[in-house]
Amino acid sequence: GEDVEQSLFLSVREGDSSVINCTYTDSSSTYLYWYKQEPGAGLQLLTYIFSNMDMKQDQRLTVLLNKKDKHLSLRIADTQTGDSAIYFCAEKENTDKLIFGTGTRLQVFP
Amino acid sequence: EAGVVQSPRYKIIEKKQPVAFWCNPISGHNTLYWYLQNLGQGPELLIRYENEEAVDDSQLPKDRFSAERLKGVDSTLKIQPAELGDSAVYLCASSFRNNEQFFGPGTRLTVL
């Protein structure tokens, strides 16, 4: 079945850039998403990219999509302590179902 | 505008007891989702409603789980009887016509 994989943990210094990576298997995905989850909270949509795009920039966030390799990344510029959270990538199947990755825990230290 | 509301936020029960979770979606959102999130994992869809109709319940363990959305607004998810392995966070989300999904804070269930 469809599978979305992420590395489990990333630690960066405040002010540096963070890059969170994700690979997926479903080549028919229509949209790919990045969600943020803070402790005890639900998921917050950060950004998304349509499958026919290869890059999207939104303020400090840059999404890169390599459809050939089925690889998605999220770059956070000037990472702040408030960015510490778990980040999930998700692919949207043509049935509108979202398949989430296992999440990457981002820790930002001063 | 109020977000997705879920209650209770936390629930602790003994195994074999029943439990119910409630979700109030964002006003005007016709699509409602229930997700299960195990510790250290991403959410997994249990059931999706379009108005009152369950259009995808393939991942809902129907022997013990049930859900309803009688008037196409609020929804309840029930487990009867609960098992130890049901301990998880149950997330509700809503969207307008399958567009962006907005998530509630979840209900953390602990089964002892």
Side-chain angles (χ1 to χ4, degrees):
Chain A
E2 296 78 14
D3 194 22
V4 179
E5 295 188 354
Q6 301 178 236
S7 52
L8 292 180
F9 190 77
L10 177 65
S11 179
V12 299
R13 188 180 299 275
E14 190 174 20
D16 287 352
S17 292
S18 307
V19 179
I20 303 171
N21 295 300
C22 171
T23 58
Y24 60 98
T25 58
D26 187 359
S27 58
S28 66
S29 297
T30 54
Y31 288 90
L32 295 125
Y33 299 83
W34 284 104
Y35 284 84
K36 176 183 181 182
Q37 187 175 37
E38 296 183 82
L43 277 70
Q44 172 196 356
L45 179 65
L46 289 177
T47 187
Y48 65 92
I49 189 167
F50 188 50
S51 58
N52 68 353
M53 298 170 63
D54 52 20
M55 187 181 99
K56 180 178 181 181
Q57 187 153 2
D58 184 1
Q59 300 181 3
R60 291 191 299 124
L61 306 178
T62 303
V63 178
L64 295 178
L65 174 61
N66 182 327
K67 199 170 180 182
K68 173 176 172 289
D69 295 338
K70 299 188 184 67
H71 182 267
L72 182 74
S73 68
L74 174 70
R75 178 178 181 269
I76 306 173
D78 188 25
T79 312
Q80 302 298 306
T81 54
D83 295 324
S84 294
I86 300 176
Y87 291 79
F88 292 93
C89 69
E91 61 171 346
K92 190 173 191 178
E93 300 179 331
N94 52 14
T95 60
D96 290 325
K97 183 176 177 178
L98 281 183
I99 306 295
F100 286 87
T102 52
T104 299
R105 182 178 295 274
L106 174 65
Q107 183 175 15
V108 182
F109 57 93
Chain B
E1 180 182 312
V4 176
V5 179
Q6 291 189 247
S7 69
R9 291 294 314 277
Y10 305 91
K11 188 74 176 178
I12 301 174
I13 60 171
E14 294 188 344
K15 63 181 180 182
K16 300 184 182 179
Q17 294 300 304
V19 64
F21 314 124
W22 175 79
C23 174
N24 179 241
I26 292 174
S27 178
H29 282 191
N30 63 316
T31 308
L32 184 146
Y33 313 77
W34 283 103
Y35 287 89
L36 165 69
Q37 186 177 21
N38 285 305
L39 186 65
Q41 301 292 320
E44 299 173 38
L45 181 69
L46 288 173
I47 189 167
R48 174 166 66 103
Y49 282 94
E50 299 282 350
N51 301 305
E52 303 90 352
E53 183 183 358
V55 296
D56 184 356
D57 63 355
S58 56
Q59 301 303 310
L60 190 72
K62 298 181 182 61
D63 56 337
R64 297 184 300 107
F65 286 64
S66 64
E68 60 183 14
R69 194 184 184 201
L70 292 176
K71 296 184 179 179
V73 181
D74 294 1
S75 177
T76 56
L77 177 69
K78 297 177 182 178
I79 309 175
Q80 182 170 11
E83 296 179 352
L84 294 176
D86 296 331
S87 295
V89 175
Y90 292 83
L91 294 166
C92 180
S94 70
S95 69
F96 179 66
R97 293 184 181 175
N98 294 314
N99 289 320
E100 178 186 346
Q101 294 185 28
F102 292 84
F103 283 80
T107 297
R108 182 176 296 276
L109 173 67
T110 301
V111 182
L112 303 176

